[in-house]
Amino acid sequence: MDNAIEINEDLTHKEVALFLGDELKNHNNESVKSYNLEEEYAKTARHKKPFVWILLGLCFFIVGAGTLTTTGLVSHSNHKISINIDSFDDLNLRALLNSAGRAQNLYDTAIKNKESLIQNKKDELSQAEQKRNMDLFTLQSVASVSTKAFLAKEHEKIEEEYKTAVNEINRNYEPKITEAEEEIKHYESKRNSYNSEKLNQAKDAQATIDSTKQLHDIEMKAQEDRYEKKIKELREELASQKVRAAREQKAAVEEVRKIFQAKIDLLDPRAREQNKEQNEIILDAGIQNKTKSSKLWDNVEKLIFNENDYTSENSSFDYAETIKEAAKELEEARTLALRFKPIPMENSIKDYVPAIMHQTYQVANNLAESGFKMQEELRNLQDFAETSLASSSADGIVFKNTNSSTTQAYIKKTSRDKIIEGKSLEAQITHKGKQIAATIQKQDGIYIVTMIYPEEDSSKPQTVYSIDTGDPIRILPQKSK
């Protein structure tokens, strides 16, 4: 080590001196003794003891003996171990069992998938059928206020919608069910490919190899059963709710039907059944019970009032105008009556408007026919009067006898020009050879004769003239004013 065994006296570096300054100078001025390592080691050699070497030797001996003993025991144990080839078979069987288990699970899942699809299809078909039944029930509820044509059309529409819904459900589920069946066949084939003897052996080994897994499988199976039971209960509850909903819906529809049927019965009662007299009147009008509405209104549209059947060229102007006005008013009445045609009256009240129209036309025809006969009789009377007055100096005759001082008169055609509308002329009536003073005037085409009573003593009874039909009337020469 050369001089390394001695410590240099001057240990001062320039950098250290730069910072320490005077302090370092004081220490450097002090005398320093050198430190000799060899001398120091020589001093420690005198303190060595043999016990340390003995202790180290004992430790080495113990460690060596322990190592040899342990090695011998392990070697002896290894010679005693017997290698069993069946252990490797156990491992293969377990792998086989796991593969078969997975195949079985896939098979079971495929079966459940198919069952679920079939159940869903069944539920949707049931729902479609329930909707169809409810629609038919609702349609039947309004049958009393609907026509047969409308009911048949709506019934056909409901059946068509149901058929379309069923076809759509089948078209949606049949491919899925077919696919599920193919999966079942695939996994069933795969499951059956495993040797049953090996599987049974593996199952027996499984109980010994993995009892924990067996317990887990049992718990999973129990949980699966609980879920399956819960799903079944939910499906049953859903089906029960559907039945209750359908029953409640029917009850609600029936309640509404009863309410509106009561109102309909008020608006469209079975009136003919409730009133025998009215029923007989309607029967007299030619309307039988339970006559179809279409036939009733066809008969109304066929009702006729022909004004030409009740007038002729000899009819008076006023009479002809009256018949013409009657025809117009009857057509207006028919227009008003037809307003009730589209109203769905199904009970006997539907017979009333057609019956009223029949009676109205019957009355009009009867009156017009009577008027026509009166016109004929009047014309015959006028012809007789003209013939009688042709050889007489009289201008007319009393048309109607009366106890009143005023009556109607017939004036022959040749004398009519003497009378001006609204102007009164002096006349004379001959009754049983007695001359009665009177006036005559024309009012609205009618000739009116008014008798003139003489001024008499008020103390005496007043004279009352009585004239008869056919008494001659003569228009007196008018005095110039």
Side-chain angles (χ1 to χ4, degrees):
M1 294 174 58
D2 297 334
N3 296 329
I5 60 175
E6 297 180 357
I7 297 176
N8 192 354
E9 297 179 355
D10 187 6
L11 299 175
T12 304
H13 294 277
K14 294 180 180 181
E15 293 83 355
V16 177
L18 179 63
F19 289 99
L20 296 180
D22 295 336
E23 292 294 330
L24 186 58
K25 289 179 180 180
N26 295 331
H27 288 287
N28 288 335
N29 292 330
E30 295 178 359
S31 59
V32 178
K33 294 180 180 181
S34 60
Y35 184 83
N36 193 317
L37 291 177
E38 291 181 355
E39 294 178 357
E40 293 298 325
Y41 278 121
K43 291 178 180 179
T44 59
R46 293 194 296 267
H47 297 288
K48 293 180 180 178
K49 296 180 180 181
F51 177 74
V52 174
W53 293 106
I54 295 172
L55 181 61
L56 288 173
L58 181 62
C59 289
F60 280 115
F61 175 76
I62 292 172
V63 170
T67 302
L68 292 174
T69 302
T70 303
T71 302
L73 290 174
V74 171
S75 177
H76 181 71
S77 298
N78 288 339
H79 285 290
K80 288 186 176 181
I81 294 175
S82 60
I83 300 176
N84 190 357
I85 300 300
D86 293 338
S87 298
F88 295 98
D89 290 337
D90 290 341
L91 295 176
N92 292 332
L93 289 174
R94 184 168 183 175
L96 175 65
L97 185 61
N98 290 337
S99 299
R102 285 194 296 272
Q104 181 68 37
N105 290 336
L106 292 173
Y107 174 76
D108 294 340
T109 302
I111 290 179
K112 291 178 181 178
N113 182 38
K114 178 185 175 183
E115 291 176 352
S116 177
L117 289 172
I118 293 174
Q119 185 62 42
N120 291 339
K121 177 184 175 182
K122 183 179 178 181
D123 291 341
E124 292 191 18
L125 288 174
S126 176
Q127 186 174 358
E129 183 179 6
Q130 182 177 344
K131 181 180 181 301
R132 167 182 169 272
N133 293 337
M134 289 306 305
D135 290 342
L136 291 176
F137 176 77
T138 303
L139 182 63
Q140 186 63 31
S141 300
V142 298
S144 61
V145 293
S146 303
T147 62
K148 290 183 178 180
F150 172 80
L151 293 174
K153 182 178 179 181
E154 290 299 313
H155 188 277
E156 183 180 357
K157 181 179 178 182
I158 292 171
E159 292 293 346
E160 188 64 28
E161 289 180 353
Y162 172 68
K163 186 184 298 184
T164 302
V166 170
N167 292 337
E168 182 65 25
I169 292 170
N170 289 331
R171 186 162 51 248
N172 184 30
Y173 279 97
E174 287 302 326
K176 296 179 180 179
I177 293 175
T178 302
E179 184 179 354
E181 291 175 347
E182 293 297 329
E183 286 185 356
I184 291 174
K185 291 179 181 178
H186 172 72
Y187 292 126
E188 183 179 17
S189 175
K190 190 172 181 180
R191 184 195 63 172
N192 294 337
S193 65
Y194 293 100
N195 185 280
S196 59
E197 181 178 354
K198 284 286 186 180
L199 286 176
N200 292 332
Q201 185 179 357
K203 289 178 181 178
D204 294 338
Q206 181 69 14
T208 304
I209 295 171
D210 195 356
S211 60
T212 304
K213 184 177 183 301
Q214 292 290 321
L215 179 60
H216 175 71
D217 290 343
I218 293 173
E219 292 176 351
M220 292 298 294
K221 185 65 172 62
Q223 186 174 2
E224 181 181 355
D225 292 341
R226 286 197 300 271
Y227 286 149
E228 289 291 341
K229 182 179 179 181
K230 187 65 175 177
I231 291 173
K232 183 179 180 181
E233 291 176 353
L234 291 175
R235 286 187 181 277
E236 291 176 353
E237 179 64 23
L238 179 60
S240 177
Q241 288 180 357
K242 287 182 178 179
V243 173
R244 287 198 301 270
R247 184 167 57 249
E248 292 173 358
Q249 185 177 358
K250 284 185 177 181
V253 172
E254 180 64 17
E255 183 66 22
V256 173
R257 188 197 68 80
K258 288 181 179 179
I259 294 173
F260 281 94
Q261 187 63 48
K263 295 182 179 180
I264 290 170
D265 291 340
L266 292 176
L267 299 174
D268 186 17
R270 301 183 181 276
R272 293 182 67 173
E273 299 175 6
Q274 299 170 0
N275 193 305
K276 183 178 180 180
E277 181 183 1
Q278 293 178 4
N279 183 49
E280 291 178 354
I281 294 172
I282 296 174
L283 289 173
D284 291 340
I287 300 176
Q288 302 299 321
N289 285 303
K290 298 182 180 179
T291 303
K292 293 183 178 179
S293 297
S294 58
K295 187 175 181 181
L296 284 173
W297 290 103
D298 287 344
N299 292 336
V300 170
E301 292 175 353
K302 293 176 182 178
L303 290 173
I304 297 174
F305 180 83
N306 191 352
E307 57 184 287
N308 295 327
D309 293 341
Y310 306 112
T311 57
S312 66
E313 59 182 7
N314 297 320
S315 298
S316 67
F317 175 80
D318 292 338
Y319 173 75
E321 287 296 313
T322 300
I323 294 297
K324 184 177 180 180
E325 185 66 22
K328 178 182 176 182
E329 291 177 353
L330 285 173
E331 283 302 313
E332 291 175 351
R334 191 206 306 269
T335 301
L336 294 176
L338 290 174
R339 174 64 181 84
F340 293 86
K341 182 179 179 180
I343 298 176
M345 294 184 296
E346 293 297 323
N347 297 329
S348 58
I349 192 67
K350 63 184 171 58
D351 301 337
Y352 275 70
V353 175
I356 291 172
M357 291 302 300
H358 276 276
Q359 295 295 78
T360 301
Y361 269 79
Q362 187 65 38
V363 170
N365 281 288
N366 291 340
L367 290 176
E369 186 176 357
S370 298
F372 182 74
K373 290 180 179 180
M374 290 179 62
Q375 285 285 303
E376 291 293 324
E377 292 175 358
L378 179 60
R379 186 167 58 254
N380 293 333
L381 181 58
Q382 290 175 349
D383 292 342
F384 175 76
E386 286 289 338
T387 303
S388 299
L389 292 172
S391 59
S392 172
S393 61
D395 295 301
I397 59 175
V398 174
F399 182 73
K400 185 178 181 181
N401 61 336
T402 178
N403 293 326
S404 173
S405 61
T406 302
T407 187
Q408 295 183 16
Y410 175 78
I411 304 300
K412 64 182 181 180
K413 295 178 181 179
T414 56
S415 299
R416 291 176 183 175
D417 293 339
K418 298 178 182 180
I419 305 172
I420 301 173
E421 182 79 20
K423 185 177 180 181
S424 180
L425 300 177
E426 293 180 358
Q428 188 179 71
I429 301 174
T430 302
H431 175 66
K432 295 180 180 182
K434 185 177 181 180
Q435 307 297 323
I436 302 173
T439 60
I440 186 171
Q441 61 179 343
K442 185 179 180 182
Q443 297 179 357
D444 298 327
I446 300 175
Y447 297 97
I448 305 298
V449 177
T450 303
M451 291 174 286
I452 302 174
Y453 292 95
E455 294 182 2
E456 297 179 355
D457 189 352
S458 60
S459 61
K460 296 180 181 181
Q462 187 175 4
T463 302
V464 177
Y465 298 130
S466 177
I467 58 178
D468 296 326
T469 302
D471 287 346
I473 302 172
R474 187 168 64 88
I475 300 174
L476 298 176
Q478 302 301 305
K479 297 177 181 180
S480 59
K481 297 182 180 178

